Amino acid sequence: MQTEPLYLRGNIQVEPLVDQWYAWSHLLPPATTARNISERHLTIMDSYIAAPQIHENAVKNPRMLGGPFIDYGGKRVDEIKALRDDTIQKRSRLLELSKALTDLDAFLRMKAKGFSLQPLYQEIPEILRGYVELVYDLNNHPSFKLMEPLMYRSEFYDRSAQSLMLSLTSGDDRPFALSTPRLEDEGLLHLRIPFDEPVIDELFKLKSQPKPFDEIKEMLGINGNVQQRELLRSFLTETPPPKYVPYDGPGVRWRYFGHACVMVETGGIAIMSDPVLSYTYESDVSRYTYSDLPDTIDYVLVTHNHQDHVLLETILQLRHKIKYVVVPRSTAGSLQDPSLELALKHAGFKNVIGLDQFEELTTPNGAITALPFLGEHCDLNINAKMAYLVKAGAHSILFAADSCNIEPKLYEHLHDEIGDVDAIFLGMECNGAPLTWLYGPLLTHRIDRAMDESRRLTGSNFEQARDIVDRFRCKEVYVYAMGQEPWLNYVMSIKYTERSKPIVESNRLVEYCRSRGIIAERLFGEKEILLP
Ligand SMILES: [Fe+2]
Ligand SMILES: [Fe+2]
């Protein structure tokens, strides 16, 4: 019997996986999962099997960062082949579903010409029948709505595809996660636990509440295998983590954790935007990590459904601390805009609140209001994006994330509604990847390259950002969500130089603000501010 209480070490990386692929928010909804398996995972694996050396060279090329290339140095081809074959066999129904979505789109384009859609129901691919409603917009453009809640209840949502991969990490150097599947290896502890299992909370509670080893291995189902047992033991420690002291002063304390993750503590509550956290290890870049969290995070605010803003790896680890997750509502049923509420509920989050524009939550000393978020979604009809206005006592802080001010009139209207704002956090990633980088697998027919290049995931540039700052007469301006923190390379794949447009444009904004007596900074690493 080993009875001394043990904690989970602060540098144990826990990657959520779906069929060995890094799990992000499009790998929960059945339809987007099906599309990503067929159009992303299988395409990448096929390409690697055919020409591993092309991938080996591409991952070394900084210009190809974040591209569809497997990062195994051209090796382990047999294992990738086995994973591909296994996926084709296990996910045959999802592959059929994915093909049916392509077929349905093609069929609607050909046959739905403005007349009643009723006769067409019989021609819907069998596998999709009863899961879609055929619709026109007011200009007779046909499309379909997916019965998303029903699809989660069907054979298409398979929790057994989900697992967690635990490993020890000691630095920021993580390969880009979205293009390389995780293969079993020495030093990796693979736990086949679906995301909604309560034992996941028990696992992460171990960071602050210790348990005896026997109890831990029992709860994780690690018994017979000596190697696994030893590996698990090496992930645990008798040393308690440093105690966190919650902010109990007057006013507000906010802390920047990197990218779009900011924690606001005020009036005894904690509010965290877009959680993406670093593990705890020695580094040259000082930062707040998982060890700098209160016992309870009252509200997590998710601004939009991009992998750098709703990072499953982080929020699963925080789940046991979170009272409410606040998400933007989707346009029900469209493939490109899956419901974040449903996705997170199926990932085991009990209290998910979906907000629409101007819906508000009351907090002990203020309120959280959802506000429109323009652009940055390649002109796709996507509703799951909101900025949040956090009011705490006398202070108002706007978390605008990647909002792109393509229509300044909107901010004029918003100002009429909410008045001036003290501080704004705004992303200025104004290059932006082209549409296909993120949404490519969802397209059912090829998009012209020039169209693709023109429709980007673009945040505000200098003029657009300046217009927002002027409009709300902000006293403090923080450029954030720039993907610059080195511990986020594995999901961001962004490396800027001083000449990169987002840096040049955000420098201009900071200079502009400072020349007008406005406090301004592009955040990097960590920052703490106390407001009276
Ligand atoms: Fe974004
Ligand atoms: Fe972003």
Side-chain angles (χ1 to χ4, degrees), residues 259 304 306 308-309 376 402 429 481 492:
H259 200 53
H304 64 300
H306 287 159
D308 54 318
H309 296 263
E376 210 254 330
D402 297 331
E429 212 290 74
M492 292 301 301

Side-chain angles (χ1 to χ4, degrees), residues 400-459:
D402 297 331
S403 297
C404 183
N405 181 11
I406 41 186
E407 176 48 276
K409 268 279 177 195
L410 169 71
Y411 293 94
E412 202 181 309
H413 301 318
L414 282 184
H415 184 257
D416 291 346
E417 285 293 320
I418 64 169
D420 293 349
V421 167
D422 297 325
I424 183 168
F425 289 76
L426 181 64
M428 293 182 71
E429 212 290 74
C430 50
N431 275 339
L435 176 139
T436 50
W437 184 77
L438 193 65
Y439 299 106
L442 308 184
L443 302 178
T444 57
H445 57 294
R446 253 185 196 289
I447 183 168
D448 181 89
R449 197 186 155 97
M451 278 183 199
D452 187 27
E453 290 292 328
S454 83
R455 289 169 59 186
R456 311 186 76 89
L457 294 137
T458 311

Side-chain angles (χ1 to χ4, degrees), residues 322-335:
I322 301 174
K323 262 200 192 157
Y324 300 102
V325 187
V326 180
V327 300
R329 273 207 207 110
S330 309
T331 38
S334 63
L335 180 62

